[in-house]
Structure formats: structure tokens, C-alpha cells
Amino acid sequence: MTTSKISFRNATKVFGAPDSGVTALKNLNLDIRDGEIVTVVGPSGCGKSTAMNMVAGLLDVTSGEVLVDGKPVLGPGPDRGVIFQQYALFPWLTVRQNVEFGLKLQGMDRAKRKERALHYLGLVGLASFSEAYPKTLSGGMKQRCAIARAYAVNPSVLLMDEPFGALDALTRVKLQDQLLDTWSKDKRTVMFITHDVDEAVYIAHRVIVLAARPGRLQEIVEVDLPFPRNDDVRLSPEFTEIRNRVWRAVYHRDAQAA
Amino acid sequence: MTVTNDVNVTTAPRRRWSPNNFTWAALSFAGGIGLWWLATVGGLSELPSPWAVLTRMIELALDGQLWEDTFASLRRVMIGFVLGSVIAVPTGFLMGWYRVARAVIDPWVQFFRVIPPLAIIPLAIVTMGIDETPKIFVIFLAAFLSAVVSTYQGVVSVDKTYINAARVLGANDRVIFTQVIIPASTPFILVGFRIGLGSAWATVVAAELIAAQSGLGFRMQQAQLYYDLPTIFVSLVAIGILGLIMDRIVVWAEEWLTHWQERV
Ligand SMILES: Nc1ncnc2c1ncn2[C@@H]1O[C@H](COP(=O)(O)OP(=O)(O)OP(=O)(O)O)[C@@H](O)[C@H]1O
Ligand SMILES: [Mg+2]
């Protein structure tokens, strides 16, 4: 277990009073390897965000443990970058100032900060928008800016909660490729939540399927497809087969429960 | 690296006062004054004509009385408004940030908010005397109450994801307060200032009608005793123009300070 980057050990989260509250997640056991991309899928309310927020340090566990690098998570930290569905860019800062936010908190000097911010903005294709305010960006550009902001502080773990959920299909596919491309150059551990089964399979080493009420582990699907992922992979029969397995795990189970 | 290309779409900044709007406003005013003039010419009312009012305004301006009155009223408003706002903003932040402060202060704010500031005047005069203090105090109260409520509203309505986004980038409470809460609640605070300045202006004029030896409200009250309609009109017009100018200044400040905001 020394190679696991993130570990859930009987992680349980109950919102409200311990006996009468909502059990968002029950006894989750899961290990995510260093440099691995795992995607998390499951019906709405099954505890995906809850699991991720516990790794981020934004929520504490009710019982059990969540470990990052073998140490229990005590709170948020710049070693774990988070990308939110609602972008969460600060609208009063320019694109570059947003990316510099975390660097400034680390005490990096002005010139170095700027250089670093521009580097990551270039990586996501936003260099020419560095002085623009977020209100002038499209949804996809906002999300790329949020990705640059998370990358810039150099976290070893990237936590992404339905980051492309609000985007159109075309932009989404482009950002998936971009994410994989960036990952291949610099292998971070990625925990990626999505509602989109195709997306889940396309970018992942493993797909974690959760079940609802109470939120718990349903199935882990190994994605045995080669990297780099591209259109050939996406259109291959192997992809379709894995995709169908994940689909059944998510929806069939739900149909039985209903 | 796959880089998605975007078209740089620059939209023209939305202006509230396009030249077109301005023309319409000027036309509308001119029409209103024309109607007023017609009514007085036809002998339909006892109102003074626009010319009589303009003549009186020039007279009062030349002998300095108009400026003295304006200065007296503005001075009261400014002192009361600045004091009220300067104390309201930290109080509002305190209420938004600390649950205990909210529980302690909020009932008082809610209680005084339902009392019209003018209703405090009798009490203020009895306890503070008849000089400037009671007038400034009620204006202070009017400005304070609106700014404190909006600041507090601003703090509690800061989107939680901004706070979380800052925390995961390594921000502590102090950084979150100074770099997230303050900028995020600025639009609310400025709205509070705008409302506060409006109610401060309304309050000063009314307070001068009740108890003062100077000011635009006082002048109107004096004119009423002598049935001097033109002077009443001059005061009204001056009150309206000054109120409008102050409101515009706050709106400009607002647009300048919150230019980053998405406007609908
Ligand atoms: N702050 C909270 N207080 C009370 N209950 C909560 C809170 N946050 C989440 N829950 C409950 O916990 C359960 C899991 O929520 P969570 O947000 O983790 O679901 P999710 O899988 O991310 O759903 P979605 O796909 O809709 O985002 C839900 O039943 C939800 O109602
Ligand atoms: Mg969620």
C-alpha cells in the first residue's frame, strides 16, 4: 500500500445527527495510485462530491479515514488542487491575477509569479486573455482558466468535480484531450467526477462506480485501453465494450432499486 | 498540445446613459417645463411661472442665500453620511463574519430600521439640544442603518465556492476576509451607500423643516410663512438637483469600483 496516493479507509460521511442524518457515503474503501487517473460516476446524490471534498479537506469524515500520501487529511492545502463545476474564478481579478492567487499566497515574487501564470495560461491556450476579466470569457475559457489556476500551484493531486459538465459536447471533447495531454507531460494523480459515461471511460485508468442511498462503492471497472487516447481509441470496439459495462453498472442497478 | 481556438469577441461596454437616453431625458424635462408654463399662462393655477422661479433663483444665488442654505444642508448630510457609513461597514462585516456579533447587533438594527429616522427627532432634540447634533445624528442613523444591512447581506451572500476556491489554494481566514469577502461584497456595500445617501438627503430636508435655523428645508419653511411660492420652488428644485447629482456620483463610483461585475 506504499504506492497509493489517496486512500479511503471505511470512509463514512453522515450529514446531520449521527442517528437521524443523511448517510452520504458509507464505508468507502478505495486506493488511488500515484499518477493514476480515476473517474467517479454514479447516480445523483450517491456521494461523489462528498468523497472528493473529503480528499480536498473541505469536509471531514464522520468515521473512518481519508489519507493522502499516507497522512490523514486535516484541511485544504495547495498539494491538492480543486477544479469546481462552477469554475469559481474570482470575478474581480483578471485571468492572470486569478492564476497568480495561489502563487501569491506562497510568497512568490511578482515577476516569477507573472512568468509562471503566463506559462500555465499558455498551456491552456489563454495567454492572449491574461488581462481580461472573467466576465468576458466563455464557459470553456473560464474552465481552462480554472485549470491553469489549479496547475500553477503545482499540486500533486488534481480533484475535478464535473469540471466539463456545463460545457457543450465539442468543447468537452477538446478539454478532455487537453487534460490527457497535460497529464502525459506531467503525471499528476487525478480524481475526476463526471455524469458522462463516455468521458469517464475515455480519460481514466479506472472508473469507480458508486451506488446511492446510502452512497457506497458499487463496482470498479479497469479501463484497459492504450495511451495516448485518441479518436481511434474512442471509436474502437474495446472502448464500446467497457463503456457498456460502466453504463450497466450505473443504470441497471438504479433500475433495480427503483 | 491541443489548444482550442477562440474568437476574440469584444462587446461594447453597456452604458446606462447612452446619448440617446440623454436626449430623451432632456426632451422630457423640456416638455414638463413647457406644460408648467402653459398652466401658469392660462391662469389655470396659482403656481408661479417657470420664469418667476428662475428669476428668484438668480436673486437668491446672487445675494448668496442659496449657497449658504445649500452648504448648510450638504454639510449635515456629508457629516452624517460619512460617519454612518464608516461605522456601518465594519459593523456589517462583524455581523456577517461572527455569529455572536450578528445575534447581538441584529435585533437592534431590525428595531431601529422600522422607525422612520424623523421619528427620532423629538427625542434627539430633547436629549442633544437644538444645535447641529440632533440633525446630524438622525442622518447618521439613516445612513448607518442602510449601509449596515447591505454590508451584512453582502458578506453572508458571498458564494461559498469562492471561499472554497481560496481555501484550496492555501488561503487562511485573514486572506479569505481581505481578498474574497471584501471584494465580493463591495457591490452590496455600494448599493447600501446609494440607498443611505438617498435617505440621508430626504431626512436632512425633513429635519430642517422641523427644527433648524439654516438649510434648504428651513428656507422652504420660512417661505411658507410668507406665502412665498417662488422661493419654495427654488428650494425644491435645488433639493432635486443636488439629490440627483449625489446619486449619479455614487452610481459612477459603483460602476468604476465594480466594473468586473457581470451586468444584466
Ligand atoms: N451540506 C450537506 N448537508 C446535508 N446533506 C448533504 C450536504 N451535502 C450533501 N448532502 C447529501 O449527501 C448526499 C450526497 O451528496 P453529494 O453532493 O456528494 O452527491 P453527488 O454524488 O455529488 O451528486 P451530484 O451528482 O448530484 O452532484 C446527498 O443525498 C445530499 O443530499
Ligand atoms: Mg456533486
Side-chain angles (χ1 to χ4, degrees):
Chain A
M1 280 302 137
T2 44
T3 54
S4 87
K5 182 77 183 173
I6 302 170
S7 314
F8 293 86
R9 299 260 177 275
N10 284 318
T12 300
K13 179 71 190 178
V14 180
F15 287 105
D19 43 348
S20 62
V22 182
T23 306
L25 204 60
K26 193 168 181 179
N27 292 331
L28 179 65
N29 282 295
L30 178 67
D31 282 284
I32 300 173
R33 291 184 296 271
D34 195 11
E36 185 183 24
I37 303 175
V38 300
T39 50
V40 185
V41 292
S44 184
C46 68
K48 301 183 293 290
S49 299
T50 303
M52 203 197 82
N53 286 331
M54 292 192 307
V55 181
L58 295 170
L59 279 179
D60 47 12
V61 282
T62 306
S63 65
E65 274 184 316
V66 175
L67 310 172
V68 172
D69 290 323
K71 289 185 283 288
V73 172
L74 295 176
D79 58 322
R80 285 150 288 143
V82 183
I83 292 157
F84 300 89
Q85 177 170 11
Q86 314 87 333
Y87 320 131
L89 294 178
F90 304 121
W92 53 88
L93 299 180
T94 62
V95 164
R96 178 167 61 80
Q97 287 167 336
N98 263 284
V99 179
E100 287 183 10
F101 190 91
L103 304 175
K104 206 166 153 188
L105 294 179
Q106 294 176 356
M108 189 180 288
D109 71 62
R110 187 182 283 268
K112 212 164 152 212
R113 227 159 56 202
K114 182 170 178 181
E115 186 195 313
R116 182 100 163 240
L118 289 177
H119 169 75
Y120 282 98
L121 283 172
L123 219 58
V124 297
L126 278 181
S128 56
F129 289 90
S130 63
E131 303 310 313
Y133 281 88
K135 72 170 177 183
T136 64
L137 305 185
S138 70
M141 291 157 82
K142 281 182 188 157
Q143 197 55 291
R144 274 143 60 198
C145 178
I147 291 171
R149 181 173 71 178
Y151 269 86
V153 291
N154 201 21
S156 56
V157 173
L158 279 174
L159 303 167
M160 308 173 85
D161 193 349
E162 299 190 37
F164 309 150
L167 305 175
D168 65 278
L170 192 65
T171 310
R172 200 150 58 190
V173 168
K174 282 182 179 172
L175 288 183
Q176 289 162 9
D177 283 330
Q178 197 179 337
L179 176 73
L180 288 177
D181 192 62
T182 316
W183 176 84
S184 67
K185 288 175 190 151
D186 195 350
K187 296 196 171 52
R188 318 284 169 96
T189 308
V190 178
M191 183 175 174
F192 187 110
I193 297 174
T194 178
H195 265 119
D196 180 341
V197 173
D198 282 57
E199 177 171 81
V201 174
Y202 185 66
I203 64 174
H205 292 96
R206 285 189 297 162
V207 180
I208 313 296
V209 182
L210 298 185
R213 275 170 290 271
R216 63 199 183 280
L217 187 63
Q218 157 96 1
E219 194 175 331
I220 297 180
V221 180
E222 291 280 343
V223 181
D224 214 353
L225 297 171
F227 280 90
R229 303 273 164 91
N230 50 32
D231 286 354
D232 292 341
V233 174
R234 202 189 277 278
L235 300 172
S236 67
E238 291 81 8
F239 178 89
T240 309
E241 192 190 312
I242 296 169
R243 182 196 163 282
N244 292 351
R245 267 185 64 197
V246 175
W247 183 276
R248 256 181 242 114
V250 176
Y251 293 96
H252 191 66
R253 169 79 199 190
D254 221 27
Q256 278 179 339
Chain B
M1 173 106 258
T2 329
V3 171
T4 44
N5 8 307
D6 291 275
V7 194
N8 185 356
V9 189
T10 33
T11 44
R14 204 182 279 267
R15 258 179 293 161
R16 295 202 182 168
W17 279 87
S18 65
N20 200 21
N21 275 347
F22 191 79
T23 313
W24 281 113
L27 276 176
S28 175
F29 264 121
I33 292 169
L35 282 178
W36 172 16
W37 177 71
L38 279 179
T40 53
V41 156
L44 289 174
S45 75
E46 296 167 46
L47 296 180
S49 73
W51 316 120
V53 172
L54 188 65
T55 317
R56 176 59 54 85
M57 188 172 251
I58 293 169
E59 273 170 36
L60 289 175
L62 287 180
D63 85 352
Q65 195 174 68
L66 183 59
W67 309 119
E68 269 170 45
D69 289 335
T70 302
F71 178 75
S73 297
L74 274 181
R75 184 173 167 274
R76 291 177 187 133
V77 167
M78 283 307 150
I79 296 176
F81 172 74
V82 169
L83 277 179
S85 304
V86 161
I87 296 177
V89 171
T91 310
F93 278 134
L94 213 62
M95 287 169 68
W97 196 248
Y98 295 108
R99 201 177 287 276
V100 177
R102 183 183 321 169
V104 171
I105 303 169
D106 199 43
W108 292 99
V109 171
Q110 295 307 331
F111 179 72
F112 278 102
R113 222 155 65 98
V114 296
I115 303 176
L118 278 185
I120 307 286
I121 287 219
L123 172 68
I125 290 178
V126 171
T127 53
M128 299 173 185
I130 52 161
D131 60 358
E132 293 294 285
T133 319
K135 276 151 265 172
I136 291 174
F137 176 74
V138 289
I139 294 156
F140 161 84
L141 208 59
F144 173 82
L145 289 171
S146 71
V148 83
V149 171
S150 60
T151 306
Y152 158 69
Q153 282 299 337
V155 175
V156 297
S157 59
V158 172
D159 195 336
K160 195 91 173 48
T161 49
Y162 292 147
I163 296 173
N164 283 342
R167 284 178 70 197
V168 298
L169 289 166
N172 56 24
D173 276 2
R174 190 186 55 81
V175 171
I176 286 172
F177 184 75
T178 56
Q179 293 182 46
V180 178
I181 303 285
I182 290 182
S185 49
T186 303
F188 285 82
I189 296 172
L190 291 170
V191 168
F193 283 177
R194 188 175 175 196
I195 297 167
L197 194 56
S199 72
W201 191 231
T203 306
V204 77
V205 172
E208 287 169 355
L209 285 173
I210 298 175
Q213 305 307 318
S214 61
L216 293 166
F218 164 77
R219 194 61 54 205
M220 239 186 331
Q221 204 264 337
Q222 289 288 300
Q224 180 206 334
L225 294 178
Y226 300 105
Y227 209 70
D228 177 3
L229 277 173
T231 303
I232 293 184
F233 267 70
V234 169
S235 306
L236 280 178
V237 170
I239 289 164
I241 291 175
L242 286 168
L244 212 58
I245 292 174
M246 287 194 283
D247 191 59
R248 283 292 106 187
I249 292 174
V250 181
V251 170
W252 283 327
E254 193 183 331
E255 285 180 355
W256 180 63
L257 284 169
T258 63
H259 62 95
W260 45 265
Q261 231 189 347
E262 252 171 284
R263 291 179 207 278
V264 278

